[in-house]
Amino acid sequence: MKLTYYGHSCVGVDTAGHDVLFDPFVLGNPLAGAVDIARIPATEILITHGHGDHMADAEAIAKRTNATLVSNYEIAGWFEKKGIAKTVGLNLGGAVNVGPLRVKYVTALHSSQMPDGTYGGNPGGFVVQSEEGAFHHAGDTALTLDMQLLKTFKLRFACLPIGDHFTMGVDDAIIAAQYMGVTKVVGLHYNTFPPIVIDTEKAKAAFSAAGLELLLPTIGTTIEI
Ligand code: NI
Ligand code: MN
């Protein structure tokens, strides 16, 4: 698998010949100036919740790529009204097959409201299973015991928020990784705005001391994972 980090919580995972794009938010990200949204590939766009910093560029990318947009029922319906051709609206605990992928919408402890004030359903995270294995994107969430349930997927890696203030911080993300049984974590939702600026070297050291690896790819770069 290959993972490209587009900043904040936006990551693309290349697996089983598909380009799965999570939480597109690039144009409004002050740190992502080098990323050209016209070149971001997507066969599926997965949106964890209705906040602008997780979906602001979804409409443009979905219309350009004709990707299938997967989110909760309320968010999928909101995008359908915007003219997105292919949408799938899940609810917590539900999974769906999209091409060679199985996509499950799992618990997140957060909030969800669309930028226009529309109700955004329950926030969630995703587990994606492909022939190459399974991985998790947590969206925005607090630490929750439900994360222990994800152990059964034998995740290759998890993408977890580490910026604190609006989500888990580093210490809770370490416990989350332990609950999920993953050793490889891609850090999300840090440094974009002043309240979520963190010391990244300290964060890496804390993960390392717990026997875990924290990956913080530079925005716009692709890693093998
Ligand atoms: Ni949020
Ligand atoms: Mn957020």
Side-chain angles (χ1 to χ4, degrees), residues 33-154:
V35 176
D36 178 3
I37 75 156
R39 299 181 58 154
I40 296 177
T43 51
E44 288 78 28
I45 299 174
L46 275 48
I47 298 176
T48 59
H49 65 292
H51 293 157
D53 61 319
H54 297 260
M55 46 139 291
D57 298 318
E59 183 181 347
I61 296 172
K63 285 183 174 169
R64 173 177 57 80
T65 59
N66 197 32
T68 302
L69 188 149
V70 184
S71 189
N72 68 32
Y73 180 80
E74 290 80 5
I75 293 173
W78 191 83
F79 277 102
E80 200 180 343
K81 284 192 192 132
K82 298 230 168 236
I84 304 304
K86 296 187 284 184
T87 64
V88 178
L90 299 174
N91 213 325
L92 291 169
V96 67
N97 293 329
V98 189
L101 309 173
R102 185 151 180 87
V103 178
K104 184 168 187 176
Y105 196 56
V106 298
T107 313
L109 281 185
H110 192 63
S111 56
S112 180
Q113 184 181 38
M114 310 310 286
D116 62 5
T118 306
Y119 172 59
N122 286 309
F126 291 101
V127 173
V128 177
Q129 293 171 279
S130 86
E131 63 198 14
E132 296 177 290
F135 58 95
H136 173 61
H137 185 296
D140 282 354
T141 186
L143 177 65
T144 159
L145 282 167
D146 282 18
M147 290 165 174
Q148 293 178 346
L149 298 171
L150 303 184
K151 244 183 186 167
T152 56
F153 289 100
K154 305 203 182 316

